[in-house]
């Protein structure tokens, strides 16, 4: 049928025309066009750093475009701040949540448009009632009196959507809403999206997960390095088609991996006990070991002790009892510095908090662990020339974009931030590489890249410990799979013998009697 | 025996209220500024300029309330300066605060020499033109209530009222909610159409107004003139009280009362003939404050965005 024909009879609610946005010399959007139709889901697809969030920030009035114009319901509108966007019925759920942690759910939802009685005094009763009303209407259940810091990420996302609906949003922008959700939460979100479009709302959905796009979207705009590539009707294409359009070449979804005999044991954990922040036992007498030249995947649902286990290994959290050994040496309760010097590298779960110093540039981030060593420092003085040369090498080898070692880590897109971390950690030539959620928020091209990097480590006879909530990833990349449930390993198997159903059952605590 | 103990306690309560009052105003100023995300080390300087303005206007105009308001305006102008540097230009907030401290002391001295024939001290305000004492002579002579309230100036009661008002404002009104949101996560507030810059400006200006009140509560009530040594560190103590009070008005009140009480105790002990030097006794308030705060107050948590300038189009 083609895009033109399909959309002929639909009502345009938004037209973004020839939008260009420059940050200094860097062109983040290069005359991009986007039409959004009433009651339809329009997906945005593009690699990390392609300029998707930038385009949406422009539509929401957070960034002002360098050139181009925006029409809402056929009328030209200058969206110079979010207030104007909100007035025109645009709501946005940001890639990094915009919630105020110590506030309650209800306070976050009403902020900026608070119901008041006399003299600006907050009317929390009405606020609670309003929140309850919209949450029931759209099936978005939340506890309005809970504090944001106490609720799960999935719940926080509902709060974000409610915030937009509370403001009467007719057009809802969802910027990578599923990147941090569990599979169950993703199913729920897609249902919510369907409910919303049934009510006549339009959705702009950004996602790297092609399956979500084929499941939920009607149309898809594809951007590559800021440039408008194409707009397609989703039902007329498939995941492979979308992926190759986005990357500009064929992408393989399955991971190429040769069989390999694992070597001697190199890393072991014995009877490890670790407590969480609330002083409750999170890792409970856990045993695990890794051999040279293997990838061990740790499967499990979020909150079963994975975070605490990692922090204990890397020296960030106190070990109550038990023993961690690498190359026969005991590293229990050693400092992170000592752990690193025993050739353990760590790609942390939270890349912005633990992986990077956001206000350092790429080259400084590249030497965070080795800054004191030759040739980066001589007699205690940093050798910036050498640091730059090294950073340039990493940028080339790991395809970090843009190729500028002096770019601030904060200004990189999520995927490129991750590449910087992986480059740094892999270049340390570790005996054990720990990778926690290494592909969260990455585009398919970048995921392929990360998986290759992990497998290369293994092929070089190193041990790799992969922690992921994505079962597909665990099953495709690992040689052996361990399942964690309530702080214990409840099963270990060869990846060849693993089945989704069996793993899922074990992850839910139902496998091993 | 019990009589004298009770009346001694009443005496200490009275001095506690008296000494806490300037701190309460100033730390409320700190609460406003820092909850909106702007660190205000300049409270001391704002307090000094307020103390001077209060004493000078009080002397020339003769009306304590006009003088008190004048002190607030003087402090507010310094607040405006701080906001200009920190909010508009994103300057380092600590550095700007330190500059304000020097500026406050310098300008107060300069103006004092200009208006009071080269003297570094302003001329004393006659008792009748000082702050009124609303409960003076209300309670029978010698009664405990009399000991506590007889000599308290109106600024004392106003300070307590202000704590209530600021608490209500911060936690029960929409503007309070917005103010706190801006201090916690300005980008989030911005995405909801809240004007971060305006809220920070107003908060910092009001912070100066309150510090100005704090200064005037010294120069118009506790004493009756301004001299360069009058404020000497009270602005910093108010800042500490605000931090120990966990950035909350009610917490700041308690911390100020604690410090005022320790000071009252020192004054009380000073009247006896101990074999201890008076310097050691006057250290007491500081020592007691530190010990109590270390021992009983848990970890305090500043608003998340306190001290971080806000820029639009900053990648988050
Ligand atoms: N405020 C800014 N200053 C400088 N450069 C920026 C800024 N915001 C974004 N960029 C750059 O613009 C490009 C596009 O970024 P954007 O966040 O829009 O990517 P994205 O498509 O959303 O990627 P991801 O999938 O990783 O979220 C990136 O190269 C980024 O470094
Ligand atoms: Mg993005």
């Amino acid at each position: 049928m083609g895009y033109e024909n399909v959309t002929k009879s639909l009502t345009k609610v938004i037209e973004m025309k020839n939008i260009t946005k420059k940050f200094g010399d860097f062109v983040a959007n290069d005359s991009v066009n986007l039409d959004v139709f009433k009651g339809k889901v329009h997906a945005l697809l593009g690699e990390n750093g392609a300029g998707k969030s930038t385009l949406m920030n422009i539509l929401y009035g957070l960034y002002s475009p360098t050139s181009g114009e925006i029409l809402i319901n056929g009328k030209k509108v200058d969206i110079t701040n979010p207030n104007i966007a909100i007035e025109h019925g645009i709501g946005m759920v940001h890639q990094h949540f915009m919630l105020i942690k110590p506030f309650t759910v209800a306070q976050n939802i009403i902020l900026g448009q608070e119901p008041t009685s006399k003299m600006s005094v907050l009317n929390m009763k009405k606020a609670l009632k309003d929140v309850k009303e919209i949450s029931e209407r759209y099936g978005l259940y939340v506890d309005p009196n809970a504090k944001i810091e106490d609720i799960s990420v999935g719940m926080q996302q509902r709060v974000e959507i409610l915030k937009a609906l509370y403001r009467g949003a007719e057009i809802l922008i969802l910027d990578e809403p599923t990147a941090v959700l569990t599979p169950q939460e993703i199913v729920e979100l897609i249902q919510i999206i369907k409910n919303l479009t049934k009510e006549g709302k339009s959705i702009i959905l950004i996602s790297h997960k092609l399956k979500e796009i084929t499941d939920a979207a009607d149309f898809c705009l594809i951007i590559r390095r800021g440039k408008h590539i194409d707009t397609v009707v989703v039902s007329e294409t498939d995941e492979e088609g979308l992926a190759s359009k986005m990357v500009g070449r064929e992408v393989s979804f399955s991971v190429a991996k040769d069989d390999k005999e694992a070597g001697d044991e190199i890393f072991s954990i014995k009877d490890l006990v670790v407590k969480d922040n609330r002083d409750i036992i999170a890792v409970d007498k856990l045993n695990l070991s890794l051999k040279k030249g293997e990838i061990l995947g740790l499967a499990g649902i979020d909150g079963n002790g994975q975070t605490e286990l990692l922090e204990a290994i890397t020296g960030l959290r106190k070990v109550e009892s038990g023993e961690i050994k690498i190359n026969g040496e005991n590293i229990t309760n050693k400092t992170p510095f000592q752990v690193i010097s025993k050739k353990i590298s760590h790609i942390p779960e939270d890349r912005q908090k633990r992986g990077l110093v956001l206000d350092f540039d790429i080259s400084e981030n590249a030497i965070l662990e080795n800054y004191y060593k030759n040739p980066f420092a001589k007699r205690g003085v940093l050798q910036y020339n050498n640091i730059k040369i090294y950073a340039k090498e990493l940028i080339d080898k790991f395809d970090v974009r843009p190729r500028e070692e002096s770019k601030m880590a904060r200004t990189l897109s999520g995927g490129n931030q991750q590449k910087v971390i992986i480059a740094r950690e892999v270049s340390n030539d570790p005996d054990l590489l720990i990778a926690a959620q290494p592909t969260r928020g990455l585009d398919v091209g970048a995921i392929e890249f990360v998986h290759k990097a992990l497998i290369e480590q293994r092929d070089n006879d190193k041990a790799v410990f992969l922690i992921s909530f994505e079962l597909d990833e665990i099953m495709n990349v690992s040689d052996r799979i361990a399942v964690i449930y309530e702080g214990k390993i409840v099963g270990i198997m060869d990846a060849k013998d693993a089945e989704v159903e069996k793993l899922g059952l074990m992850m839910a605590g139902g496998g091993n009697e | 025996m019990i009589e004298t103990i009770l009346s001694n306690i009443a005496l200490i309560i009275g001095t506690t209220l008296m000494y806490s009052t300037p701190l309460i105003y100033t730390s409320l100023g700190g609460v406003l500024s820092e909850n909106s995300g702007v660190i205000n080390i300049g409270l001391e300087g704002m307090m000094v300029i307020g103390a001077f303005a209060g004493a000078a206007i009080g002397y020339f105009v003769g009306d304590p309330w006009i003088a008190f308001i004048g002190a607030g305006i003087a402090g507010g102008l310094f607040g405006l300066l701080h906001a200009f540097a920190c909010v508009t230009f994103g300057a380092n907030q600590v550095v700007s605060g330190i500059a304000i401290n020097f500026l406050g002391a310098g300008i107060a001295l300069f103006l004092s020499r200009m208006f009071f024939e080269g003297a570094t001290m302003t001329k004393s305000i006659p008792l009748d033109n000082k702050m009124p004492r609303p409960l003076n002579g209300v309670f029978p002579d010698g009664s405990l209530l009399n000991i506590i309230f007889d000599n308290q100036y109106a600024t004392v009661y106003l300070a307590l009222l202000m704590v209530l008002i600021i608490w209500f404002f911060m936690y029960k009104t929409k503007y309070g909610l917005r103010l706190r949101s801006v201090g916690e996560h300005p980008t989030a507030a911005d995405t909801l159409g809240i004007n971060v810059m305006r809220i920070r400006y107003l908060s910092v200006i009001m912070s100066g107004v309150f510090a100005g009140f704090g200064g005037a509560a010294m120069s118009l009530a506790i004493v009756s003139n301004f001299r360069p040594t009058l404020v000497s560190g009270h602005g910093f103590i108010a800042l500490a009280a605000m931090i120990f009070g966990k950035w909350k008005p009610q917490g700041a009140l308690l911390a100020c009362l604690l410090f005022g009480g320790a000071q009252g105790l020192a004054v009380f002990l000073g009247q006896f003939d101990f074999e201890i030097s008076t310097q050691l006794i006057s250290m007491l308030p500081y020592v007691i404050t530190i010990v109590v705060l270390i021992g009983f107050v848990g970890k305090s948590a500043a608003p998340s965005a306190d001290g971080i300038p806000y820029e639009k189009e900053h990648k988050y």
Side-chain angles (χ1 to χ4, degrees):
Chain A
M1 278 259 283
Y3 177 72
E4 298 295 327
N5 288 324
V6 175
T7 56
K8 236 185 337 209
S9 57
L10 299 173
T11 328
K12 265 187 203 169
V13 283
I14 291 201
E15 279 174 84
M16 294 181 86
K17 284 188 179 164
N18 295 318
I19 301 287
T20 297
K21 173 70 184 173
K22 293 184 184 165
F23 294 108
D25 289 336
F26 180 78
V27 188
N29 286 155
D30 190 354
S31 50
V32 178
N33 292 303
L34 170 70
D35 293 340
V36 181
F37 303 94
K38 189 169 169 57
K40 296 289 168 192
V41 180
H42 206 115
L44 247 60
L45 184 62
E47 294 174 277
N48 296 120
K52 305 176 298 290
S53 297
T54 303
L55 188 68
M56 291 303 105
N57 283 335
I58 290 171
L59 181 57
Y60 193 63
L62 284 169
Y63 291 174
S64 49
T66 312
S67 65
E69 59 179 19
I70 299 174
L71 278 69
I72 301 179
N73 295 322
K75 268 201 242 51
K76 188 174 178 304
V77 182
D78 255 342
I79 310 178
T80 48
N81 68 54
N83 261 335
I84 300 176
I86 294 168
E87 267 168 40
H88 286 87
I90 300 173
M92 178 160 178
V93 176
H94 295 263
Q95 187 169 4
H96 303 284
F97 288 166
M98 294 289 165
L99 294 169
I100 295 162
K101 296 233 169 79
F103 281 18
T104 66
V105 167
Q107 283 173 329
N108 268 286
I109 293 174
I110 60 164
L111 183 64
Q113 287 192 10
E114 308 83 352
T116 53
S117 37
K118 265 185 293 225
M119 304 215 342
S120 313
V121 176
L122 287 173
N123 185 345
M124 284 313 285
K125 231 195 207 150
K126 178 157 188 320
L128 292 177
K129 203 179 119 236
D130 292 352
V131 169
K132 203 166 154 235
E133 233 170 64
I134 43 169
S135 83
E136 272 167 12
R137 180 151 153 226
Y138 297 102
L140 287 152
Y141 296 99
V142 289
D143 171 6
N145 287 313
K147 285 209 172 130
I148 298 296
E149 53 202 3
D150 297 331
I151 63 179
S152 70
V153 181
M155 277 293 156
Q156 294 185 8
Q157 180 151 60
R158 291 185 174 191
V159 178
E160 284 283 24
I161 297 175
L162 283 171
K163 263 165 71 177
L165 295 175
Y166 175 81
R167 284 163 181 76
E170 287 300 318
I171 300 135
L172 192 61
I173 305 166
L174 302 173
D175 193 352
E176 289 191 38
T178 58
V180 291
L181 298 189
T182 63
Q184 180 54 36
E185 286 169 333
I186 293 176
V187 173
E188 288 166 16
L189 180 75
I190 289 184
Q191 189 52 49
I192 290 167
I193 290 177
K194 296 207 162 124
N195 291 347
L196 289 170
T197 46
K198 232 181 275 156
E199 296 254 346
K201 313 242 180 231
S202 312
I203 311 272
I204 303 178
L205 173 69
I206 301 182
S207 178
H208 289 298
K209 299 183 186 163
L210 299 164
K211 185 163 177 313
E212 284 161 21
I213 293 181
T214 50
D215 276 359
D218 300 292
F219 309 109
C220 182
L221 164 67
I222 295 156
I223 316 179
R224 199 189 306 151
R225 302 196 189 184
K227 288 202 174 65
H228 188 123
I229 300 297
D230 199 3
T231 305
V232 297
V233 181
V234 172
S235 58
E236 294 173 5
T237 179
D238 57 9
E239 294 180 31
E240 278 78 17
L242 288 171
S244 58
K245 267 219 166 105
M246 155 183 153
V247 186
R249 62 176 164 88
E250 292 294 319
V251 188
S252 77
F253 289 106
S254 63
V255 190
K257 202 173 76 174
D258 297 332
D259 277 346
K260 184 173 178 354
E261 198 64 35
D264 301 335
E265 180 178 297
I266 185 168
F267 176 76
S268 69
I269 299 174
K270 245 173 98 186
D271 292 330
L272 190 74
V273 177
V274 186
K275 288 182 175 168
D276 68 10
N277 286 340
R278 295 161 301 167
D279 238 15
I280 298 167
I281 291 187
V283 177
D284 192 5
K285 299 231 172 73
L286 181 137
N287 290 294
L288 206 61
S289 71
L290 263 94
K291 301 194 189 91
K292 281 185 184 167
E294 75 162 348
I295 300 179
L296 176 67
L298 185 68
I301 297 168
D302 194 6
N304 275 291
Q306 295 97 322
T307 309
E308 288 78 9
L309 172 63
L310 285 186
E311 290 178 348
I313 298 174
T314 49
L316 292 163
R317 185 176 285 275
K318 198 180 132 220
V319 172
E320 303 294 327
S321 65
E323 203 178 56
I324 307 171
K325 273 185 173 172
I326 181 148
N327 283 322
E329 255 184 281
N330 192 338
I331 54 159
T332 319
N333 281 328
K334 292 278 195 279
T335 64
F337 183 84
Q338 290 165 322
V339 173
I340 292 169
S341 69
K342 294 287 178 276
K343 308 211 73 156
I344 295 183
S345 277
H346 177 207
I347 299 166
E349 196 172 2
D350 187 335
R351 66 181 77 113
Q352 299 205 335
K353 211 164 87 190
R354 292 241 162 103
L356 294 167
V357 181
L358 290 174
D359 290 313
F360 278 12
D361 66 21
I362 297 180
S363 65
E364 289 162 325
N365 272 295
I367 54 145
L368 274 187
E369 287 151 352
N370 297 321
Y371 62 91
Y372 59 94
K373 290 182 190 157
N374 218 347
F376 307 131
K378 284 188 182 139
R379 286 178 223 93
V381 180
L382 289 177
Q383 304 296 310
Y384 270 100
N385 276 335
N386 296 343
I387 294 173
K388 286 220 161 92
I389 292 170
Y390 177 70
K392 279 201 182 110
E393 273 171 30
L394 292 194
I395 287 173
D396 276 347
K397 194 162 153 217
F398 289 82
D399 190 27
V400 179
R401 289 179 217 163
R403 286 187 153 38
E404 276 170 50
E405 75 283 353
S406 59
K407 190 120 174 144
M408 221 49 104
R410 181 183 297 283
T411 65
L412 294 179
S413 75
N416 285 295
Q417 291 181 342
Q418 187 74 335
K419 284 186 187 169
V420 173
I421 299 172
I422 292 175
R424 179 183 71 214
E425 298 301 327
V426 170
S427 307
N428 275 348
D429 189 28
D431 286 343
L432 171 66
L433 176 67
I434 302 173
Q437 319 297 346
T439 59
R440 189 184 262 184
L442 299 201
D443 66 58
V444 284
I447 292 176
E448 192 186 2
F449 177 90
V450 171
H451 288 167
K452 273 195 184 142
L454 295 183
I455 289 167
E456 202 179 298
Q457 279 296 111
R458 155 207 188 251
D459 290 345
N460 289 337
D461 240 4
K462 310 290 184 185
V464 177
F465 187 26
L466 169 70
I467 295 92
S468 174
F469 303 143
E470 304 269 352
L471 219 41
D472 284 347
E473 174 164 60
I474 293 267
M475 298 193 26
N476 282 335
V477 179
S478 316
D479 298 311
R480 278 193 307 148
I481 299 174
V483 182
I484 188 169
Y485 176 71
E486 292 193 339
K488 283 192 172 79
I489 300 296
V490 292
I492 294 193
M493 67 197 80
D494 225 75
K496 289 195 200 82
D497 312 328
E499 291 155 27
V500 183
E501 290 75 24
K502 198 169 153 212
L503 280 176
L505 197 63
M506 286 168 89
M507 284 160 64
N512 245 24
E513 293 79 33
Chain B
M1 183 58 194
I2 289 179
E3 290 267 295
T4 44
I5 291 178
L6 281 179
S7 65
N8 280 337
I9 291 178
L11 195 72
I12 293 175
I13 294 177
T15 39
T16 299
L17 285 175
M18 182 174 97
Y19 283 120
S20 315
T21 298
L23 299 177
I24 293 173
Y25 286 110
T26 309
S27 61
L28 285 179
V31 166
L32 288 175
S33 168
E34 305 228 347
N35 273 287
S36 80
V38 181
I39 292 178
N40 193 351
I41 301 266
L43 288 174
E44 173 87 3
M46 298 175 183
M47 219 178 156
V48 171
I49 203 69
F52 168 78
I57 298 172
Y59 175 76
F60 288 117
V61 179
D63 183 309
W65 291 113
I66 292 179
F68 193 69
I69 289 166
I73 293 174
L77 286 175
F78 272 62
L80 179 65
L81 198 65
H82 190 46
F84 194 56
C86 302
V87 182
T88 305
F89 289 105
N92 183 302
Q93 302 175 0
V94 172
V95 173
S96 166
I98 292 172
I100 296 254
N101 287 336
F102 283 116
L103 205 63
I107 290 184
L109 198 63
F110 172 76
L111 291 176
S112 167
R113 285 189 194 274
M114 195 157 107
F115 289 108
F116 295 89
E117 294 126 26
T120 58
M121 257 163 77
T122 66
K123 291 215 171 79
S124 280
I125 305 167
L127 189 60
D128 286 344
N129 289 349
K130 282 177 67 171
M131 275 288 159
R133 290 173 293 176
L135 297 181
N136 184 273
V138 171
F139 301 109
D141 245 4
S143 72
L144 292 180
L145 287 175
N146 190 56
I147 298 176
I148 298 178
F149 294 113
D150 192 43
N151 268 321
Q152 303 293 7
Y153 295 93
T155 38
V156 174
Y157 311 109
L158 186 64
L160 298 175
L161 184 67
M162 283 297 173
V163 175
L164 204 67
I165 291 175
I166 295 292
W167 172 83
F168 189 84
F169 166 78
M170 289 218 352
Y171 298 103
K172 300 288 164 190
T173 72
K174 70 173 183 186
Y175 295 110
L177 191 74
R178 291 178 186 187
L179 186 151
R180 288 186 289 135
S181 76
V182 164
E184 282 291 339
H185 196 334
T187 322
D190 195 3
T191 58
L192 297 177
I194 291 172
N195 191 329
V196 177
M197 300 292 173
R198 183 158 69 204
I199 289 192
R200 287 199 167 171
Y201 250 89
L202 290 174
S203 306
V204 176
I205 291 172
M206 281 316 288
S207 155
V209 170
F210 273 88
F213 286 163
M218 298 183 103
S219 66
L220 280 169
I222 298 177
V223 296
S224 44
N225 66 352
F226 169 82
R227 52 187 115 89
T229 55
L230 181 65
V231 175
S232 63
H234 277 75
F236 292 114
I237 292 169
L239 185 73
M242 185 259 329
I243 292 169
F244 290 131
K246 301 187 176 178
W247 284 265
K248 294 192 168 81
Q250 65 274 31
L253 170 69
L254 292 179
C256 291
L257 286 175
L258 171 73
F259 187 81
Q263 221 170 11
L265 193 66
V267 172
F268 175 74
L269 293 178
Q271 61 184 318
F272 301 110
D273 260 344
F274 287 125
E275 295 287 316
I276 318 171
S277 82
T278 52
Q279 277 87 349
L280 282 181
I281 290 187
S282 50
M283 272 168 60
L284 200 62
Y286 303 92
V287 175
I288 291 183
T289 310
I290 288 179
V291 169
V292 171
L293 294 171
I294 291 174
F296 297 97
V297 179
K299 217 177 116 207
S300 33
S304 305
D306 199 10
I308 306 168
Y310 180 65
E311 311 160 40
K312 263 197 167 215
E313 300 220 354
H314 184 71
K315 183 120 190 273
Y316 35 83

